[in-house]
Amino acid sequence: MLIENMEIEEFIRPDEIETILAQAAATPDSEIDAILDKASRFAGLTHLEVASLLKMDDKHLPRLFQTARRIKDEIYGNRIVMFAPLYVSDYCVNRCAYCSYNDCHTFKRRKLTQQEVRDEIIEIVGMGHKRIALEAGEDDENCPIDYILDCLRTIYQTQADLSGEIRRVNVNIAATTVENYGKLKDVGIGTYILFQETYHQPTYEKYHLNGPKKDYWYHTTAFDRAMTGGVDDVGAGALFGLYDPYFEALAMVIHNEHLEKTYGVGFHTISVPRIRPAEGVDLSTVYPNIPDDETFKKIVAVLRLAVPYTGIIISTRESAAMRKDLLDCGVTQMSACSAVGVGGYMAEKRRRETGVIDPDLTAQFAKNDERTADEIIHWLIEEGLVPSWCTACYRSGRTGDRFMALAKSGQIKNVCHPNALMTLSEYLEDYASPEVKALGYAMVDRELEKVPKLEHREKARENVAMIRGGKTRDLFF
């Protein structure tokens, strides 16, 4: 397959995936036990083994969830990485049936000016965030790559106050060219994120009715072009509900295998959004494949076993209760107090101040978790989880295969855990409510004792003391 002068093997074969899943249903119990034994050694799984777990009998679920939790605890500890999305443009020329930004929907479209980008960033930073995911519809006329690059520069240059700034911008924009991925790399993106939506080509073509996104293989090979353009941190996702969820999970693992084989490193993150109500989208009869809660938890747990060193992201699409359950299944990153429309953070600020809801704000989807950032941080701390805003690996050049080497060596606990505690201390000092501040510092004091390496533990304790004293910020290993 030749795409933009790149010869790329056809690595997603729908008929083959369907056959694998059908055969996996007959996997004997003894083989399921052997696969779970292998996963518990953090060895990862082949796509054939993943298929067996996806199709296994529910009697194995307790051990599956136990193994997923153990893998997460051993590799990531009790850290949860925090982020917020930033929608900069809802102009879109695609006709995706499940999306409110569908080009046939009539609403007042907009893109942020650079001053509006600054205003949104100040609001986001005011919630304590240091990491965002930039989101935009696809429209080369109204939202060209140069506009995205300008937004990135503005975000990195915006200093909200003495202690607040965004330190890492991940980018979730449409599939593009090798040249444009090189431009994104040059301006300093973190992870390039792209959701395949569905890996099943007939279904993809059913729901993508018009626009450049309709090209299934151009979309599917975006990460090949991104890595060729120098972006070595990529994040995948499927929109669960368009097709058989087991098919989507297995296809993601196969996609990851393709990247590892071709470029030496697979996905940095995997997102697992379930389709949600949106303006102009009818979920009642058109989308029969939305996984129920138990199936969804099973898929997340299987993905944790399949790619143990890959971050798994859950958004505010899910309820507070479901997000809690998914943390136990292997999720390691989550958004907090998200605005999912262009200008949404300033619109929320005006609503708080005046009580007036912006009639022109169009959200991409309906949220399920409406808690404030401080409420979510409070909840995580009470659950014994350490909220982390750390961006050190990206800024220290520990990306791609270099990050994976750090994770697989076990040294991540000597680096990421103290870095998380330092960023938590920044949040507590600068943004937390008094109750969360007290709870949080009690956690920081306890967790510092768990840093394995003495020299890292003592340096982290010294750094936390400087942050609490207001002397400095942005300290990391």
Side-chain angles (χ1 to χ4, degrees):
M1 174 171 47
L2 188 65
I3 295 182
E4 201 183 346
N5 296 319
M6 297 173 61
E7 189 66 38
I8 303 171
E9 68 170 305
E10 192 171 321
F11 51 90
I12 300 293
R13 303 178 182 87
D15 290 345
E16 184 177 310
I17 294 174
E18 300 278 18
T19 299
I20 291 170
L21 286 168
Q23 293 173 343
T27 305
D29 287 349
S30 60
E31 191 170 333
I32 295 295
D33 288 336
I35 293 170
L36 291 171
D37 287 342
K38 177 185 175 183
S40 68
R41 299 191 295 270
F42 318 114
L45 301 175
T46 68
H47 66 268
L48 298 174
E49 293 165 333
V50 167
S52 295
L53 295 187
L54 290 170
K55 300 294 284 187
M56 70 186 181
D57 190 274
D58 285 355
K59 67 185 177 183
H60 297 286
L61 288 179
R63 189 178 175 202
L64 170 69
F65 293 136
Q66 180 184 46
T67 305
R69 183 57 190 258
R70 177 171 171 261
I71 289 171
K72 177 186 167 182
D73 289 346
E74 286 294 321
I75 295 174
Y76 296 94
N78 56 348
R79 296 176 296 107
I80 301 297
V81 174
M82 310 302 299
F83 76 97
L86 171 64
Y87 285 73
V88 298
S89 173
D90 53 26
Y91 284 99
C92 195
V93 297
N94 293 311
R95 191 165 299 171
C96 308
Y98 49 82
C99 181
S100 64
Y101 294 166
N102 184 321
D103 79 331
C104 70
H105 292 170
T106 301
F107 64 96
K108 187 177 180 180
R109 296 181 187 264
R110 63 176 296 204
K111 69 177 181 181
L112 300 179
T113 66
Q114 295 308 308
Q115 182 56 53
E116 288 173 327
V117 171
R118 293 185 190 94
D119 293 341
E120 292 284 289
I121 290 301
I122 288 170
E123 287 301 301
I124 293 170
V125 169
M127 294 184 282
H129 286 294
K130 309 294 184 188
R131 172 194 304 240
I132 63 172
L134 184 149
E135 314 265 356
E138 183 172 10
D139 186 332
D140 285 345
E141 181 177 344
N142 290 294
C143 183
I145 190 66
D146 287 342
Y147 170 73
I148 298 296
L149 299 175
D150 286 343
C151 288
L152 288 165
R153 295 185 188 100
T154 297
I155 292 165
Y156 281 130
Q157 291 167 3
T158 299
Q159 187 80 19
D161 54 39
L162 181 63
S163 61
E165 72 282 317
I166 295 300
R167 298 170 183 165
R168 172 172 174 148
V169 185
N170 299 332
V171 175
N172 184 356
I173 63 170
T176 187
T177 64
V178 172
E179 179 184 4
N180 285 343
Y181 286 122
K183 291 178 180 178
L184 290 170
K185 177 67 173 180
D186 290 342
V187 85
I189 71 163
T191 301
Y192 173 67
I193 300 167
L194 185 69
F195 296 168
Q196 180 61 29
E197 316 300 6
T198 174
Y199 282 91
H200 186 252
Q201 188 168 359
T203 301
Y204 187 97
E205 292 168 353
K206 172 184 175 182
Y207 288 115
H208 298 90
L209 305 173
N210 196 25
K213 191 172 178 178
K214 184 176 175 61
D215 188 333
Y216 172 85
W217 280 110
Y218 188 80
H219 193 79
T220 309
T221 55
F223 294 141
D224 294 85
R225 296 190 300 283
M227 290 194 169
T228 301
V231 178
D232 58 358
D233 262 15
V234 298
L239 182 57
F240 285 91
L242 298 182
Y243 190 61
D244 173 14
Y246 291 157
F247 180 100
E248 307 292 11
L250 183 58
M252 270 199 291
V253 173
I254 292 172
H255 197 167
N256 185 73
E257 289 178 352
H258 161 73
L259 295 179
E260 288 184 334
K261 174 185 173 183
T262 309
Y263 305 100
V265 61
F267 299 138
H268 185 76
T269 59
I270 286 178
S271 297
V272 285
R274 277 194 294 187
I275 194 167
R276 289 281 297 145
E279 188 171 328
V281 178
D282 178 14
L283 298 188
S284 60
T285 59
V286 184
Y287 301 95
N289 291 300
I290 301 174
D292 61 36
D293 288 352
E294 290 307 307
T295 300
F296 194 46
K297 288 188 286 187
K298 178 182 181 181
I299 288 169
V300 171
V302 171
L303 289 172
R304 171 49 61 223
L305 271 60
V307 284
Y309 299 99
T310 294
I312 299 180
I313 300 173
I314 198 70
S315 75
T316 50
R317 288 173 180 265
E318 298 298 332
S319 68
M322 178 54 63
R323 300 224 288 176
K324 181 180 186 302
D325 287 348
L326 293 172
L327 289 172
D328 287 334
C329 297
V331 163
T332 56
Q333 299 187 24
M334 64 165 46
S335 54
C337 198
S338 302
V340 292
V342 178
Y345 294 100
M346 288 300 293
E348 173 58 21
K349 179 183 180 183
R350 290 190 292 270
R351 187 200 63 78
R352 291 195 308 268
E353 294 173 348
T354 67
V356 177
I357 297 174
D358 185 346
D360 294 326
L361 182 66
T362 299
Q364 191 186 30
F365 57 86
K367 295 190 297 180
N368 240 330
D369 188 345
E370 297 282 1
R371 291 174 295 176
T372 67
D374 202 63
E375 288 171 338
I376 290 175
I377 302 311
H378 190 172
W379 163 65
L380 289 172
I381 291 171
E382 287 195 323
E383 292 289 328
L385 300 169
V386 178
S388 173
W389 295 263
C390 179
T391 60
C393 283
Y394 163 70
R395 296 155 78 212
S396 301
R398 297 190 294 259
T399 60
D401 56 357
R402 293 172 295 284
F403 170 80
M404 287 299 175
L406 176 71
K408 292 176 181 179
S409 71
Q411 289 302 308
I412 197 167
K413 290 183 179 179
N414 283 309
V415 176
C416 295
H417 194 60
N419 283 343
L421 296 175
M422 287 184 274
T423 61
L424 174 56
S425 298
E426 289 186 23
Y427 176 86
L428 299 173
E429 200 63 31
D430 298 332
Y431 305 106
S433 62
E435 183 179 2
V436 172
K437 186 173 182 177
L439 285 172
Y441 273 131
M443 166 174 270
V444 170
D445 291 341
R446 291 193 306 270
E447 293 293 326
L448 282 170
E449 296 301 319
K450 299 179 183 178
V451 178
K453 204 169 185 177
L454 177 61
E455 61 186 87
H456 284 77
R457 190 186 319 143
E458 293 305 315
K459 184 62 177 177
R461 186 177 285 114
E462 177 185 326
N463 287 348
V464 165
M466 288 194 291
I467 291 168
R468 293 184 73 164
K471 295 180 180 179
T472 189
R473 295 290 182 273
D474 199 17
L475 302 173
F476 57 87
F477 291 99

